[in-house]
Amino acid sequence: MRKDINKLLKKARETAKPDKCILCGKTQTSFCNSHSIPHMILKTIACEGKVLEPWVLMDEIDVVDLESGIKKSGTFHFICRECDALYFQDYENKEALLNDPTDKMLAEIALKSMLQMLSKRNEEIDLFDIIQKRSGAIINKERLDEDKLLDINDYMFDMDVYKRIIQNNEKDGFKIVFWEKLPYVTPIAVQTPITLYKDIEGTVINDIYNPDPNLHMQTMYMCVFPIEHETVVGVFYHKKDRNYRSFLHQMNCMSASKKLQYINYLIFANTENYYFSKTIEDIVRDNEKLKLLGQENNGDPHLGMLRPLEQLLEYKQIKPDEIPNFLMPEYKINS
């Protein structure tokens, strides 16, 4: 089964590759092996060159690898080598990353995150096509394709905004929700966009169930970057995405430790682009609350898949204080 799944994924990745670099538009015969989280970050938490994939939180999954080498972790092939070197000079530089963030650096992080999501959505469309041709097993595939294409349109729009900031060195484009250097190395690495459904008090930020194709989803960005003996933790959004203002205000009212706790919670509740150090493998595998949270989809269990009504009614969403906070010093690792 695992071999068959890996073959399907490999074929989808190959067919999803564009003919041209998505950034410069030049025709390519091969693409850069881009990392969605910088190689130097993954190297900091790796054990013998390997990290744990997020799928380790999924019970009874035996069709994908649960650990991977850092050369292959979170990679995608969507841009040329020249653009990869040109557009990400600041945040993939240790000295620059440890200083105060500039708009250019934040735009680089956001742009790389958008590129990774573009690559992922294109792969999903091609994967669904392959599965449908083989088995016809996907119900309402046309609607799924439409949803993916709406995501792609949103990503392309945001990508152009961040490209312009980098190219023109534009200022004052972002709002920083949180940005701190922790004096220790966390056992997780994260770089991801988040489309939050609701803020901390339950007010809707993105009406994710609204099918209106003209509705643009607003995105926030999160990163946890362990570097040598420190960790940079950041949360930010572009000023055009005004719906996050309430979230920013709510976070500003929290203590430093509560902010870290909520960021840690958001990582597992809303994202899948994170990696664990194998030093905490037993904690990750044995914590039932963490595994439940990793399988929630906007508060619903089992990745939001249809289940008997009584299961949905009985399920209680996992709260931030019910899971290990891997951003706290008690979980630090020796680099």
Side-chain angles (χ1 to χ4, degrees), residues 87 104 107-108 111 162-169:
Y87 278 94
K104 186 171 181 285
E108 289 178 5
L111 178 60
Y162 305 137
K163 274 181 64 179
R164 188 174 64 247
I165 294 173
I166 295 169
Q167 292 169 342
N168 302 328
N169 201 22

Side-chain angles (χ1 to χ4, degrees), residues 30-42:
S30 64
F31 290 84
C32 181
N33 188 47
S34 302
H35 280 81
S36 57
I37 300 176
H39 182 271
M40 67 176 179
I41 303 300
L42 295 174

